[in-house]
Amino acid sequence: MISAEQVRELREMTGAGMMECKRVLTETDGDMTKAAELLRERGIVKATKKAGRIAAEGLVESYKSADSKDGVLVEVNIETDFAAKNPDFRKFVSNVAEHIENNKPANVEELLAQNYAEGKTVQEALTELIATIGENTTLRRFTHFVGTDNTYVESYIHGDGRIGVLVEFEAENMASIKDNDEFKTMAKDIAMHVAAAKPEYSSREEVPADILAKEQEIIKAQAVNEGKPEAIAEKMVAGRIQKFYKEVCILEQEFVKNPDLSVGQLVENTGKSVAAPTLKFVRFARLERGEGIEKKSENFADEVMKQING
């Protein structure tokens, strides 16, 4: 019987995950030295040493259920764009996207702890991938849309996994229009629009009150700095806030393929054309690879030495 204390000691010694430690301790009948050697042989200790290196490249992948009611976006990061093209890496990302749809984890922590394949957890499969490829790899984030009989999800991946988008629509007669070519073209076009236009909200009702108040404050300060009287400045706020909505709310943005239409008007027109009067845009998600990750610039010689010594 392997004790929790033995697992903790081996983990502190090697930096490997708890499940890996427990497995090798079981295989070696609790022999700490042999267990540590086994971890090294399997490349797991080497993999954990790479965990501190910044991974800002990688892949955003999508997965749609066969009935198009559900959709998944997942971002997995790795250190170099070269490694991001590795078939094992790409297969792992694709499989994880499908796993999320089938197992519905609530967050990344729950996802990593779930059973994955061949008796391994997702975390253990990820650790093995790091050991195989030789670069730090991070399962960073995911979005999962779980729909109903009245919803339809479309996905779009741009730039070989640089940007991923999900968009969701709803209609009382979705079953009768989800295979309509005009509707499907509109859905794909709006997904592409999200990739290009980077909206922040679906509608003005979704804009948080504190964000709106701050924007109004900034607009008013701009007007005062332009020398406008207080009363005029107040009127200018009302006008310019409409422009703000058109910049950040997808339904009010100019449709990128036809600026004479807003996205909201496109949805409304399509609903009329395909006999779906209740058709509406519900939500979107947009993940951009490496967004918000600070890439570290290092002296090339230092980096080479780290590779040699790592």
Side-chain angles (χ1 to χ4, degrees), residues 55-220:
E57 298 298 335
L59 190 64
V60 177
E61 184 60 278
S62 66
Y63 181 83
K64 280 178 57 175
S65 60
D67 56 15
S68 295
K69 295 175 185 176
D70 299 352
V72 173
L73 282 182
V74 62
E75 178 184 0
V76 183
N77 299 119
I78 201 164
E79 292 179 58
T80 66
D81 56 357
F82 177 78
K85 296 179 175 66
N86 182 289
D88 290 337
F89 173 77
R90 300 181 79 88
K91 182 180 180 181
F92 174 78
V93 179
S94 177
N95 287 347
V96 166
E98 184 174 358
H99 173 95
I100 292 168
E101 163 62 16
N102 293 333
N103 295 274
K104 297 177 174 52
N107 50 50
V108 171
E109 291 73 21
E110 185 175 315
L111 168 61
L112 291 171
Q114 286 181 335
N115 292 327
Y116 180 63
E118 299 176 356
K120 303 182 186 73
T121 64
V122 176
Q123 176 64 71
E124 290 167 340
L126 178 61
T127 300
E128 289 189 2
L129 182 68
I130 294 170
T132 300
I133 297 177
E135 291 195 5
N136 185 28
T137 307
T138 306
L139 208 167
R140 185 186 184 199
R141 54 182 173 167
F142 69 87
T143 297
H144 191 189
F145 286 178
V146 180
T148 68
D149 289 342
N150 293 333
T151 59
Y152 178 91
V153 170
E154 185 57 272
S155 64
Y156 172 65
I157 298 294
H158 177 76
D160 193 26
R162 186 170 71 85
I163 298 170
V165 172
L166 291 178
V167 288
E168 185 181 62
F169 302 86
E170 184 178 59
E172 290 179 3
N173 62 331
M174 183 59 73
S176 65
I177 69 166
K178 67 177 184 178
D179 294 320
N180 178 283
D181 287 342
E182 182 179 353
F183 167 71
K184 291 172 70 174
T185 297
M186 177 214 68
K188 181 65 76 173
D189 283 347
I190 291 180
M192 295 173 68
H193 172 98
V194 172
K198 297 181 69 171
E200 297 177 42
Y201 310 99
S202 290
S203 65
R204 61 176 61 191
E205 289 75 23
E206 289 185 6
V207 180
D210 59 330
I211 298 294
L212 183 59
K214 185 64 178 178
E215 189 64 25
Q216 291 171 326
E217 181 184 321
I218 292 170
I219 293 171
K220 185 174 180 181

Side-chain angles (χ1 to χ4, degrees), residues 50 53 79 134-135 302-310:
K50 300 178 187 298
R53 303 211 302 239
E79 292 179 58
E135 291 195 5
D302 289 345
E303 178 62 18
V304 170
M305 289 305 297
K306 285 186 178 181
Q307 294 282 354
I308 293 171
N309 296 326

